[in-house]
Amino acid sequence: MIHPDHSIRKELADQRPRTPVGLLSRAEKDRIIERGVHGLYRWYLARSQSKRNWNPDTFVRWPDMRKDHSPELMKIIEGFYAIEQYAPDYTAVTLRMNRKNYGRAQFQLRWGSEEEKHSDLWLNALLFSGQRSPEWVHEYKKSLREREWDTPWTDVIHGTFYVVFQERATQLNYLNTAIIAAGKSTNPAHANDADPVLLEAAKTIAVDEAAHYSFFLEIGRLLMYYYPAESIEAIWDIITHFSMPAIDLIPNSEHIWKQFNDSDVFTPRQFMGDVVATALSHLGWESRKALARGIKNNRLVPDEDGNLYSSAIFDEFGYDSIEKAVRKLHDKINDYERLMGLYAIDPTVFVPSGMPVREDVEEVENTSTEN
Ligand SMILES: [Fe+2]
Ligand SMILES: [Fe+2]
């Protein structure tokens, strides 16, 4: 029997792929995710242009807006304007964070162009409300811009999951405002706040936020599928430290925050239910408790490529449902690529992550290494 010397055996071992058969390297996963995001961006752009191409000055008749809204509703509008008017900061920061990912960077530009319209919409609402002088509005605008927003999250995975929850929260804010503007709020403070102009504004902007949520959710699912361990950790960090963007930068934020709560526009209870629970279920997690169990699982240690070898974590959540969603996303992208002809040249291809890895696969690998 031939026994190769130690240096040859070591060289052969070094040349062996680092990842078990069927699993992907970090570079491969990043390339696959980037392709998926770019494909989704193409689809998104077409939808954005055909379905949501509204102009914040002309999509409603602003002079018809009521001039006698409650002070409570005016405070809420003030808050919406304050948050949305940091759009240039949000765009600059997220663009810088994602600049190497072509499709994501393209999307962040498009997203920024939609968010800036939201700022203009609320600016118009303030100006046409009859309850804030143009001078006051200009001064408020100036004071808000004195400070600059920066992200508390500096990596792409945290940054992505933050916006999944934030977009869902914003959508909810506007849907709740639509209830007030439809005259359907049960809060006595809003008994006289029905207004067709404001209703149309809140509904239109809520549709945009829903589109943003869906886009970021799809990226979140790609991350959850290819980088489950890092995604789970990031989601946990986000939901335990969540706040709406820029709320700490706004001069009168305490009053605004309180008004959101008092008017049922955004409450901690809504955040845990309509935001966290809903987004978690869309990400394959039945509850926050299941996520906590996933976090505590002591075998939740990925390799350097972000792959998990243990199957234990996969019992805690619907990894299969995430794979299904990622496949569906690719079907949607491919349909669009067929429509515009790209499919024949450069289709976006679904690649299985190879996870969850069965215990016996790992054993076979180990055995062969010993031989
Ligand atoms: Fe927005
Ligand atoms: Fe948004």
Side-chain angles (χ1 to χ4, degrees):
M1 196 180 194
I2 298 164
H3 291 281
D5 76 23
H6 180 70
S7 64
I8 294 174
R9 283 174 65 177
K10 187 176 179 310
E11 200 181 321
L12 284 172
D14 287 348
Q15 284 171 6
R16 213 165 266 137
R18 283 176 294 108
T19 45
V21 178
L23 289 180
L24 302 164
S25 70
R26 194 169 277 272
E28 286 167 321
K29 291 201 239 192
D30 290 347
R31 186 195 61 77
I32 293 163
I33 292 171
E34 191 174 327
R35 279 302 307 263
V37 174
H38 189 191
L40 178 62
Y41 162 71
R42 287 178 187 274
W43 176 91
Y44 181 95
L45 174 62
R47 294 276 290 199
S48 168
Q49 288 184 324
S50 63
K51 308 249 181 213
R52 295 185 293 107
N53 199 19
W54 53 276
N55 180 302
D57 291 337
T58 56
F59 81 116
V60 289
R61 268 199 48 79
W62 286 111
D64 294 345
M65 182 177 166
R66 278 181 64 168
K67 310 283 182 259
D68 56 351
H69 279 301
S70 66
E72 288 82 0
L73 182 56
M74 288 309 303
K75 188 57 72 189
I76 291 166
I77 293 174
E78 228 175 73
F80 289 159
Y81 171 62
I83 294 171
E84 295 280 10
Q85 66 78 46
Y86 285 106
D89 292 342
Y90 306 144
T91 311
V93 169
T94 52
L95 202 50
R96 210 160 39 235
M97 193 189 281
N98 293 287
R99 63 173 295 284
K100 284 192 175 168
N101 181 330
Y102 183 91
R104 180 73 186 267
Q106 297 292 85
F107 172 75
Q108 293 303 146
L109 284 169
R110 167 69 38 181
W111 172 82
S113 76
E114 294 178 3
E115 294 295 356
E116 62 86 11
K117 290 198 302 186
H118 299 177
S119 174
D120 289 347
L121 178 153
W122 294 120
L123 178 67
N124 282 335
L126 285 174
L127 286 167
F128 284 89
S129 71
Q131 299 200 45
R132 299 287 188 275
S133 71
E135 293 72 28
W136 184 93
V137 173
H138 297 316
E139 204 42 53
Y140 188 48
K141 187 198 300 163
K142 210 169 144 213
S143 75
L144 289 165
R145 285 295 166 93
E146 290 298 317
R147 302 174 75 183
E148 193 178 328
W149 180 84
D150 204 353
T151 177
W153 312 107
T154 50
D155 65 280
V156 170
I157 295 189
H158 276 84
T160 300
F161 283 109
Y162 174 72
V163 277
V164 171
F165 291 96
Q166 177 263 311
E167 293 288 358
R168 175 82 193 172
T170 316
Q171 180 197 0
L172 185 69
N173 293 174
Y174 295 148
L175 289 175
N176 287 334
T177 307
I179 291 173
I180 294 173
K184 292 182 178 160
S185 168
T186 52
N187 188 323
H190 298 296
N192 194 32
D193 277 329
D195 182 345
V197 171
L198 206 56
L199 176 61
E200 185 59 26
K203 276 170 33 183
T204 302
I205 205 167
V207 171
D208 271 10
E209 304 300 7
H212 297 169
Y213 171 69
S214 297
F215 188 93
F216 288 119
L217 177 68
E218 295 288 19
I219 306 178
R221 282 167 168 163
L222 283 167
L223 292 171
M224 182 64 85
Y225 183 57
Y226 291 108
Y227 289 111
E230 286 152 77
S231 296
I232 296 165
E233 297 282 352
I235 291 173
W236 186 255
D237 290 344
I238 288 176
I239 59 178
T240 43
H241 299 107
F242 186 87
S243 71
M244 287 302 275
I247 202 79
D248 52 329
L249 303 180
I250 300 165
N252 48 350
S253 66
E254 271 171 47
H255 296 126
I256 287 168
W257 203 239
K258 187 175 176 313
Q259 197 57 60
F260 281 8
N261 189 65
D262 293 351
S263 294
D264 285 329
V265 162
F266 193 56
T267 66
R269 196 191 156 101
Q270 287 171 352
F271 175 68
M272 290 317 297
D274 292 349
V275 176
V276 172
T278 304
L280 279 182
S281 83
H282 291 159
L283 289 162
W285 291 86
E286 70 176 30
S287 69
R288 200 162 161 261
K289 270 190 190 152
L291 187 70
R293 281 199 301 274
I295 292 285
K296 283 197 188 118
N297 190 319
N298 59 13
R299 290 192 286 176
L300 184 60
V301 180
D303 70 1
E304 62 195 71
D305 287 310
N307 292 312
L308 284 169
Y309 299 99
S310 159
S311 61
I313 183 64
F314 297 105
D315 298 336
E316 300 286 356
F317 79 115
Y319 192 71
D320 290 353
S321 74
I322 292 297
E323 178 168 306
K324 231 180 251 170
V326 171
R327 281 182 187 275
K328 223 169 137 190
L329 168 66
H330 281 75
D331 289 345
K332 182 165 90 171
I333 293 169
N334 292 158
D335 284 347
Y336 181 74
E337 288 172 342
R338 281 189 195 92
L339 195 72
M340 52 83 75
L342 187 68
Y343 191 78
I345 299 169
D346 190 21
T348 304
V349 179
F350 170 76
V351 182
S353 73
M355 289 178 278
V357 178
R358 296 194 322 271
E359 302 294 342
D360 57 328
V361 172
E362 204 177 352
E363 268 188 37
V364 170
E365 283 295 307
N366 287 343
T367 315
S368 65
T369 308
E370 285 310 303
N371 289 340

